[in-house]
Amino acid sequence: MDPLSTILVASCMIGMTPTNRLVSYGRRSNAYYVDLSAPSLKLVKADDGTATENLIAPQAALITKVIDKREAVCDEIKGYQNLELGWNGADSHGPSQESMSRAIKFVKAMPPGLPLPTPMLSPQSAVELYWDTSMAYVDVSFEEGGRLSLYARSRDDNAETFIDGVDEAGIDTRWYFNSLSILLAQEQAAA
C-alpha cells in the first residue's frame, strides 16, 4: 500500500468505534461469532465459547468487505424480484421465483475455473445468463420443464453451436466444461 493510502486508512480506523459487539458468521451448526471488543478481534465458536487468537484490529474489520463474485451474480438475479409491473413496457413483469431459483442454482453449481456469467432478463421476463467476451458470445436460456438451451458463437470464425432441451438434472462438471469450453479457449489464447 502506498504511503498516502496507508495514512487515509489509518485515519479512518482511528475515528471508528465498533457499533456491534458480536457479529454472526456461519450457519446454525458450526457457527462462529466475531467479538469486536477492543483492542482485538477474536473468532468465537458458538458451541462452547472458545476464542481463537487475535485476528485483526476491529476497526479494520469494519471497513473491509470481501466481495464474492459468484454471490454478486446471484444477488443481481435476486434483485429482479423487485422489478415493478411495467418495468419494460405495459405488459412486462418480473421473473418468476422458479426462473430466478434455476438460474441461481446453475451459477452456484458452476465449477471453479469457468468465468462467471452476466444475468439478464428476456423480453418474456425469464432469467437468462450470458458471457460476452472478445472471443465468444454464449447465452443460456432456462426453458419450461427443467430444461435449458445454450447458444454459443465464436467471434474468431463465427462458428455457432446450439444445444436445446438440456435436462438440468443431468448437468454435471463435465457438461459445464464441455459446453462452455469456448470461454476457456479464449482465456488460454490470452495467456
Side-chain angles (χ1 to χ4, degrees):
M1 191 179 303
D2 66 37
L4 182 58
S5 297
T6 304
I7 292 169
L8 288 172
V9 169
S11 64
C12 289
M13 288 174 25
I14 290 170
M16 295 179 68
T17 57
T19 55
N20 296 337
R21 291 304 219 195
L22 296 176
V23 178
S24 174
Y25 289 91
R27 291 193 163 77
R28 289 186 183 121
S29 62
N30 297 327
Y32 288 87
Y33 295 90
V34 176
D35 184 355
L36 297 176
S37 303
S40 64
L41 184 70
K42 295 182 180 192
L43 191 62
V44 180
K45 191 170 183 183
D47 297 339
D48 61 3
T50 57
T52 65
E53 295 293 321
N54 297 342
L55 300 175
I56 189 172
Q59 294 83 358
L62 290 174
I63 62 170
T64 303
K65 181 177 180 181
V66 177
I67 298 174
D68 178 86
K69 291 180 182 180
R70 187 177 310 267
E71 281 304 312
V73 171
C74 294
D75 287 346
E76 185 173 343
I77 294 168
K78 291 173 191 172
Y80 293 156
Q81 69 188 348
N82 299 324
L83 291 173
E84 296 180 12
L85 291 174
W87 70 272
N88 192 29
D91 296 332
S92 65
H93 53 84
S96 68
Q97 190 65 41
E98 178 191 359
S99 178
M100 291 186 298
S101 295
R102 290 170 61 198
I104 289 169
K105 182 178 178 183
F106 183 91
V107 170
K108 286 185 174 184
M110 289 180 65
L114 288 172
L116 293 170
T118 301
M120 67 177 174
L121 285 177
S122 73
Q124 297 77 27
S125 295
V127 178
E128 296 182 357
L129 304 171
Y130 75 95
W131 296 257
D132 190 5
T133 68
S134 61
M135 297 291 289
Y137 176 84
V138 179
D139 181 299
V140 172
S141 300
F142 298 92
E143 303 168 350
E144 291 187 23
R147 300 194 174 280
L148 63 81
S149 63
L150 179 139
Y151 168 79
R153 180 176 35 87
S154 167
R155 296 197 193 283
D156 187 34
D157 59 5
N158 284 329
E160 295 181 318
T161 303
F162 184 70
I163 306 169
D164 193 22
V166 177
D167 183 1
E168 291 174 43
I171 294 178
D172 58 8
T173 301
R174 184 181 312 168
W175 183 91
Y176 278 104
F177 280 108
N178 289 340
S179 301
L180 300 174
S181 63
I182 192 169
L183 298 169
L184 293 175
Q186 172 208 353
E187 287 184 356
Q188 292 169 355

